[in-house]
């Protein structure tokens, strides 16, 4: 089977950077791709902005192509997407509840604008053998008033499409990256693939040693008798799950033939990259340094505090938050980077400059390093504010690079 990829919600190309282990940009501004993966189609469309900075960056680094789509995925003719062996994407955490269609006999429908249903439509049309997705870790606990419902509906959808699924919540820093970024990774495969039929029926064994994540991101042995199980096929459909389903999904799990097994696992980690190895050592522009007013503001934002507040119903309560390192501890990896990075915000990284020891924001290049992108990846004409935003939205490409070879072996073994 050919190693062909479709990248959805592509952003600035994080999955492609990771799978093809891109470390450098050539003199023409093009990515130097070192991996065997052929990206046959990609879609990136930002509805809230006129200038499509992410798509422009993708085109600059990978070259313009008729197979680089910059339109709303919901209006794309899914049958026109090239056949592919692997679909990848980082999609928003949204409300995945479903309801019956007005006519009833046509089945069920999800909320408009929820991008997971676009993934479903593509998988249904193209019969994609393998899928690798990334999302915020709260997905497995959403929504707050019905814990686990949304993830349960996703798994049920995969089951109905003929897939089995493995997932793992991974903190990138625990596996040798430069950032404490916790995300859920979801790997799905058609049940009739060689890979699918080769796996054990023991879902605990898949989590422990056989599965994709166990092979790449090892965990400590666990007591299989403590695995929790749930049969999703007892629900008539996803509408019934929307109304009744609630369950606790742990950080590791497998669904096989519609039966879910999950348990909390402990990583066998690697030493993370400290901030001291990501900060630039040369002269930094004055624009990034804090003046006295900004320093005072950050000291307040990052300090511990207790604030009296009033709920909408008139009830009084005390909002409290602990203090944060200020400036950042350079012996530790970076914290989770958000899209607000670079603004005067509690979550923004502030470091002591390598040369002057004065306090400053991290640079766009340092933000790229926290996500394992090549230096100046987003230096494509977009403002610095957008460069930070792109990195806050991206994934840690090192984790995808770590998965690349094992995924390659899985696909190469198909239909030999």
């Amino acid at each position: 089977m050919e190693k062909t990829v479709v990248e959805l919600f592509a952003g600035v190309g994080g999955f492609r950077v990771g799978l093809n282990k891109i470390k450098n940009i050539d003199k023409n501004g093009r990515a130097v791709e070192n991996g065997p993966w052929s990206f046959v189609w990609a879609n990136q469309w930002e509805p809230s902005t006129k200038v499509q900075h992410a798509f422009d960056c993708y085109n600059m680094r990978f070259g313009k192509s008729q197979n680089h789509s910059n339109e709303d995925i919901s209006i794309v003719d899914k049958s026109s997407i090239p056949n592919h062996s692997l679909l990848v994407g980082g999609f928003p955490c949204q409300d995945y509840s479903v309801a019956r269609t007005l006519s009833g006999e046509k089945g069920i429908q999800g909320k408009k604008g929820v991008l997971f249903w676009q993934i479903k439509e593509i998988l249904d049309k193209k019969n994609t053998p393998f899928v690798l997705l990334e999302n915020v870790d709260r997905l497995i606990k959403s929504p707050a008033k019905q814990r686990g419902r949304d993830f349960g509906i996703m798994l049920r959808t995969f089951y109905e499409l003929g897939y089995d699924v493995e997932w793992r919540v991974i903190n990138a820093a625990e596996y040798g990256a430069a950032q404490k970024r916790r995300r859920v990774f979801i790997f799905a495969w058609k049940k009739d693939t060689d890979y699918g039929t080769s796996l054990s029926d023991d879902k605990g064994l898949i989590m422990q040693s056989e599965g994709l994540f166990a092979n790449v991101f090892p965990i400590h042995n666990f007591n299989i008798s403590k695995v929790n199980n749930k049969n999703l096929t007892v629900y008539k459909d996803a509408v019934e799950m929307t109304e009744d389903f609630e369950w606790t999904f742990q950080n590791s799990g497998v669904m096989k033939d519609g039966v879910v097994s999950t348990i909390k696992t402990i990583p066998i980690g690697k030493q993370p990259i400290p901030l001291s190895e990501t900060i630039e050592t040369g002269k930094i522009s004055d624009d990034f340094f804090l003046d006295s007013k900004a320093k005072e503001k950050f000291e307040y934002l990052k300090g511990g505090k207790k604030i009296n507040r009033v709920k909408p119903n008139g009830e009084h309560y005390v909002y409290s938050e602990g203090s944060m390192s200020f400036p950042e501890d350079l012996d530790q990896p970076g914290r989770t980077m958000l899209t607000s990075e670079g603004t005067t915000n509690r979550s923004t990284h502030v470091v002591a400059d390598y040369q002057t020891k004065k306090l400053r924001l991290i640079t766009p290049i340092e933000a790229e390093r926290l996500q394992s992108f090549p230096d100046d990846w987003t230096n494509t004409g977009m403002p610095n504010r957008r460069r930070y935003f792109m990195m806050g939205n991206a994934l840690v490409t090192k984790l995808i690079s770590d998965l690349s070879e094992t995924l390659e072996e899985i696909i190469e073994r198909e239909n030999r």
Side-chain angles (χ1 to χ4, degrees):
M1 182 179 288
E2 294 183 357
K3 295 178 283 293
T4 50
V5 186
V6 159
E7 186 173 18
L8 298 181
F9 328 117
V12 294
F15 272 96
R16 189 164 179 174
V17 168
L19 282 174
N20 278 334
K21 301 184 177 182
I22 297 168
K23 303 295 183 185
N24 298 298
I25 303 166
D26 67 21
K27 62 182 181 180
N28 297 314
R30 293 286 295 274
V32 179
E33 300 195 67
N34 301 306
W37 299 92
S38 175
F39 280 69
V40 295
W41 196 80
N43 176 269
Q44 168 56 34
W45 182 68
E46 177 56 62
S48 60
T49 178
K50 184 177 180 180
V51 181
Q52 297 286 311
H53 286 122
F55 182 75
D56 292 344
C57 178
Y58 196 98
N59 268 347
M60 182 173 289
R61 297 303 178 221
F62 299 117
K64 291 184 178 180
S65 168
Q66 63 179 7
N67 284 340
H68 294 170
S69 165
N70 182 220
E71 62 180 330
D72 185 344
I73 188 67
S74 68
I75 64 174
V76 170
D77 176 7
K78 307 304 189 292
S79 61
S80 71
I81 297 173
N83 293 334
H84 52 283
S85 55
L86 177 66
L87 182 146
V88 300
F91 60 107
C93 181
Q94 296 171 288
D95 183 343
Y96 303 111
S97 60
V98 294
R100 305 224 181 270
T101 55
L102 292 176
S103 58
E105 72 274 4
K106 291 185 179 180
I108 60 178
Q109 61 184 8
K111 290 188 175 182
K112 287 185 178 180
V114 175
L115 296 179
F116 177 69
W117 304 129
Q118 301 304 316
I119 296 174
K120 175 192 175 184
E121 193 176 327
I122 294 171
L123 299 181
D124 193 29
K125 285 279 187 184
K126 306 305 297 186
N127 205 33
T128 307
F130 298 98
V131 185
L132 179 63
L133 304 174
E134 178 254 13
N135 209 307
V136 294
D137 60 334
R138 72 173 180 273
L139 169 65
I140 64 174
K141 298 178 180 179
S142 296
K145 293 183 179 180
Q146 198 179 339
R147 295 290 190 187
R149 183 202 69 189
D150 289 348
F151 194 53
I153 289 172
M154 281 184 55
L155 293 178
R156 171 68 185 232
T157 301
F158 274 117
Y159 164 72
E160 291 175 350
L161 290 169
Y163 291 87
D164 289 332
V165 179
E166 179 188 9
W167 77 87
R168 174 84 72 80
V169 176
I170 298 173
N171 183 336
E174 292 178 339
Y175 287 102
Q179 186 184 174
K180 300 173 186 175
R181 193 178 188 87
R182 185 176 286 105
R183 292 293 186 268
V184 60
F185 290 84
I186 302 162
F187 181 54
W189 59 92
K190 280 286 190 179
K191 292 190 290 186
D192 60 358
T193 56
D194 291 345
Y195 175 77
T197 57
S198 72
L199 290 172
S200 167
D201 289 331
D202 186 334
K203 294 185 286 296
L205 198 59
I206 296 173
M207 285 186 273
Q208 183 68 69
S209 59
E210 288 187 1
L212 170 67
F213 299 129
N215 274 280
V216 179
F217 305 115
I219 54 176
H220 288 280
N221 289 333
F222 56 81
N223 187 340
I224 291 180
S225 68
K226 294 186 177 181
V227 171
N228 292 321
N229 300 288
K230 185 83 167 178
N231 188 348
L232 303 185
T233 67
V234 300
Y235 295 88
K236 178 183 177 183
D237 53 28
V239 176
E240 189 175 324
M241 292 185 69
T242 295
E243 297 165 352
D244 298 332
F245 184 85
E246 187 170 357
W247 202 52
T248 300
F249 291 99
Q250 301 291 351
N251 66 350
S252 296
V254 170
M255 181 192 71
K256 213 163 185 255
D257 297 320
V259 179
V260 176
S261 298
T262 188
I263 192 170
K264 184 177 180 179
T265 58
I266 300 171
I268 299 174
K270 300 177 182 178
Q271 193 70 22
I273 298 171
L275 271 171
S276 60
E277 293 184 24
T278 65
I279 63 171
E280 297 187 71
T281 57
K283 180 174 173 54
I284 303 298
S285 168
D286 292 342
D287 296 341
F288 298 101
F289 286 86
L290 305 187
D291 59 23
S292 57
K293 187 176 180 180
K295 181 180 177 182
E296 183 179 341
K297 183 68 172 177
F298 272 113
E299 285 176 339
Y300 169 75
L301 290 171
K302 292 177 178 288
K305 57 186 73 71
K306 292 184 178 181
I307 305 169
N308 291 315
R309 290 184 175 173
V310 181
K311 294 181 179 179
N313 64 3
E315 180 183 345
H316 290 258
Y317 71 101
V318 176
Y319 170 78
S320 62
E321 57 187 12
S323 62
M324 302 172 67
S325 295
F326 181 71
E328 305 291 337
D329 183 349
L330 297 185
D331 293 329
Q332 296 294 318
R335 290 173 290 96
T336 301
M337 185 165 47
L338 306 180
T339 55
S340 58
E341 185 67 47
T343 66
T344 306
N345 187 291
R346 178 175 163 87
S347 65
T348 288
H349 291 78
V350 176
V351 297
D353 183 59
Y354 185 83
Q355 287 194 346
T356 67
K357 307 305 178 186
K358 294 179 180 179
L359 298 184
R360 64 170 176 81
L361 306 174
I362 62 171
T363 66
I365 285 178
E366 290 162 345
E368 290 162 344
R369 291 174 181 176
L370 285 178
Q371 296 285 44
S372 308
F373 278 81
D375 286 3
D376 273 329
W377 184 261
T378 56
N379 187 13
T380 56
M382 71 178 83
N384 282 343
R385 178 71 200 94
R386 295 299 291 171
R387 293 182 68 183
Y388 288 124
F389 182 89
M390 298 303 162
M391 287 299 102
N393 248 352
L395 49 66
V396 178
T397 66
K398 178 189 182 303
L399 297 182
I400 306 304
S401 292
D402 291 344
L403 289 166
S404 180
E405 289 182 15
T406 305
L407 282 169
E408 183 183 348
E409 291 171 5
I410 288 171
I411 290 176
E412 284 183 343
R413 285 200 300 266
E414 289 297 312
N415 305 320
R416 279 183 175 173

